[in-house]
Amino acid sequence: MFKIFCFWFVYTLCSREGSDAYTLTDVENLWTNITTGYNKNHRPVQNQHKSIDVSINFALYSIQEINELTGKISVTGSIELIWEDEKLVWNPADYNTIYSMMVPISEVWYPPLIIGNPDTTSTAIKIEERSFVRLLPDGTIMFIPSGVYSVHSPLNAKHYPFDKQTFDIQFVVPGFINTEVKLMEGNTTYISSSFKGNGEWSLLKLTREVTVESQYTSVATFTISLERKSTNMVVNIILPIMFLAVINLLVFVLPPDAGERVSFSVTLLLSLAVFMTLVGDNLPKTSDPLPVLSYYLLATLTLSTLMCVMAILNLSIYHKNEQSRPPKCIAVVAAAVLCRNKFLKAETEKDVAEEENTKPANEKRSEKLTFPFKDNQKVMISWKDI
């Protein structure tokens, strides 16, 4: 980039001084002279033991698709490749100050870059026949192909919708070992100013690393970190479910005589079932791992079902025949839960039991069950109390 700036500055300075602009004939003569004996099928270095250093950068434009189930990630961007061709060198003063020119990439040698972790079997970078590269007088070649790059990277949806995802885009030059073609880190790794994040994801950072694998091939890895935008999911799904779960607790506050407990609990259960359907359409279709939100929804639905069952059992006990007496063990528990007294007086309990046995059977069934508590106060326990 520094070389490009210098050449552009010199070119602008010469133009302002009124130098003659070069013509098409000058360009054709230049191209004919520098390509005489040029063979694009061989590495353009005189010393074939020397490697060609290819500087690589990546610009991210937009996020096309992220599939949590298949692990397919598609992004739109451009790759910046810069290398030197020792055969394509000229002196600008000999060709009417030609400091750069554009030529079809099919006319020069270029590194056959591919995607190292593709989503499909097609790994090569698509290069159109009329793609152009820019040549500079010192042999520097700049090539910036753009397109949609699809990679495979398993994602972790455990903390959906508050998850952060990180995936890599790898580029390699197949067929060439590291001593022949070597990928190098460019001057900058940047995010394009025209980056357009979709409505579901926001970009956190873009980093780059060039490593040598198996001591033979260099791999350029661009790591993209994304954060899911959870506002839509929280407002439309999570908060309504939490509100329904809180309201569901009020089913036992309703008076039993009102006759609305069962209908209230069943209505809330159906509401949760409807929201479960909506959530199922939005949750990632993956079980490895299963999102924590799925466990929360299952627990909420289970508790709502149990509350519905408990409301029915509660009403069935409440409306039992008052002529029947509740079992003593249940009555003791009910007395303790109702906080009428914490401790029964064991020494007087036996006397009360003997007194009960002396009463006629029909009178015993019609009376409420009583227990002696502190200060010998008798407490009556009925089915409605239970």
Side-chain angles (χ1 to χ4, degrees):
M1 298 300 294
F2 177 74
K3 294 179 181 179
I4 295 173
F5 174 77
C6 293
F7 282 121
W8 181 255
F9 176 77
V10 174
Y11 174 76
T12 305
L13 183 62
C14 293
S15 299
R16 290 181 178 179
E17 292 179 355
S19 59
D20 295 334
Y22 58 85
T23 63
L24 177 60
T25 303
D26 296 329
V27 175
E28 292 177 347
N29 292 334
L30 171 60
W31 180 246
T32 301
N33 293 336
I34 62 177
T35 56
T36 301
Y38 182 81
N39 190 341
K40 63 180 180 180
N41 297 321
H42 302 292
R43 292 189 307 117
V45 288
Q46 295 294 339
N47 184 3
Q48 288 294 301
H49 293 285
K50 179 183 176 182
S51 65
I52 297 179
D53 296 337
V54 180
S55 175
I56 182 171
N57 278 321
F58 181 76
L60 180 64
Y61 296 150
S62 63
I63 301 170
Q64 297 292 327
E65 177 187 1
I66 295 181
N67 192 318
E68 290 88 353
L69 179 60
T70 62
K72 177 182 178 181
I73 302 174
S74 298
V75 298
T76 302
S78 64
I79 308 170
E80 181 190 63
L81 300 175
I82 302 177
W83 69 94
E84 292 187 3
D85 192 321
E86 295 182 2
K87 299 289 292 183
L88 304 179
V89 179
W90 74 90
N91 185 1
D94 297 337
Y95 298 96
N96 200 6
T97 64
I98 299 179
Y99 287 96
S100 69
M101 66 176 179
M102 302 291 291
V103 298
I105 191 173
S106 59
E107 300 293 332
V108 300
W109 179 94
Y110 63 91
L113 201 68
I114 67 171
I115 300 177
N117 56 334
D119 176 67
T120 61
T121 55
S122 179
T123 62
I125 304 298
K126 293 183 179 180
I127 298 177
E128 302 293 337
E129 294 182 358
R130 296 299 296 174
S131 297
F132 282 79
V133 297
R134 180 174 295 277
L135 301 183
L136 299 180
D138 63 346
T140 300
I141 298 180
M142 294 182 57
F143 180 44
I144 307 179
S146 301
V148 178
Y149 305 100
S150 297
V151 299
H152 176 75
S153 179
L155 302 178
N156 189 338
K158 180 179 180 180
H159 301 289
Y160 176 91
F162 307 102
D163 55 328
K164 297 179 181 179
Q165 304 293 345
T166 302
F167 63 93
D168 298 332
I169 303 178
Q170 297 179 348
F171 298 101
V172 298
V173 182
F176 292 96
I177 61 177
N178 197 41
T179 56
E180 295 174 341
V181 177
K182 183 179 181 181
L183 295 178
M184 304 288 292
E185 294 186 1
N187 294 329
T188 57
T189 297
Y190 60 94
I191 301 172
S192 173
S193 58
S194 61
F195 170 74
K196 297 178 181 179
N198 57 19
E200 187 178 2
W201 298 92
S202 59
L203 182 68
L204 294 179
K205 62 179 179 179
L206 173 63
T207 60
R208 173 198 54 201
E209 181 182 9
V210 178
T211 59
V212 178
E213 292 188 0
S214 303
Q215 300 180 352
Y216 293 106
T217 304
S218 56
V219 179
T221 303
F222 295 89
T223 303
I224 300 176
S225 299
L226 302 174
E227 183 178 17
R228 193 188 301 270
K229 297 179 180 179
S230 58
T231 305
N232 178 67
M233 192 70 179
V234 170
V235 172
N236 295 323
I237 302 295
I238 297 180
L239 286 181
I241 291 179
M242 294 179 64
F243 293 154
L244 288 176
V246 173
I247 295 176
N248 208 0
L249 298 174
L250 302 179
V251 64
F252 300 107
V253 179
L254 291 174
D257 293 328
E260 298 293 336
R261 281 192 175 185
V262 176
S263 59
F264 181 78
S265 59
V266 171
T267 301
L268 290 179
L269 179 61
L270 293 177
S271 301
L272 285 174
V274 172
F275 272 99
M276 287 286 289
T277 304
L278 298 176
V279 173
D281 296 335
N282 292 275
L283 284 176
K285 306 299 187 296
T286 178
S287 299
D288 188 22
L290 193 67
V292 176
L293 180 60
S294 298
Y295 293 107
Y296 168 74
L297 296 176
L298 179 61
T300 302
L301 186 63
T302 303
L303 290 176
S304 180
T305 304
L306 292 177
M307 288 181 185
C308 185
V309 173
M310 290 299 298
I312 296 174
L313 295 177
N314 183 275
L315 292 178
S316 66
I317 296 175
Y318 183 83
H319 292 288
K320 271 184 174 292
N321 188 0
E322 290 294 334
Q323 300 300 323
S324 63
R325 298 174 59 183
K328 186 178 296 186
C329 58
I330 298 179
V332 172
V333 175
V337 172
L338 291 174
C339 298
R340 292 179 177 173
N341 205 307
K342 294 183 180 180
F343 302 99
L344 295 174
K345 296 190 66 175
E347 61 273 9
T348 60
E349 188 177 31
K350 182 177 180 181
D351 299 335
V352 174
E354 292 177 352
E355 181 182 348
E356 290 290 331
N357 292 330
T358 60
K359 294 183 179 181
N362 56 352
E363 182 181 352
K364 187 186 300 183
R365 287 194 301 267
S366 61
E367 291 182 354
K368 295 181 181 180
L369 189 63
T370 60
F371 287 97
F373 284 80
K374 286 183 178 180
D375 302 327
N376 291 325
Q377 295 180 356
K378 292 186 177 182
V379 178
M380 294 184 295
I381 299 296
S382 65
W383 282 112
K384 289 186 177 181
D385 296 326
I386 294 176

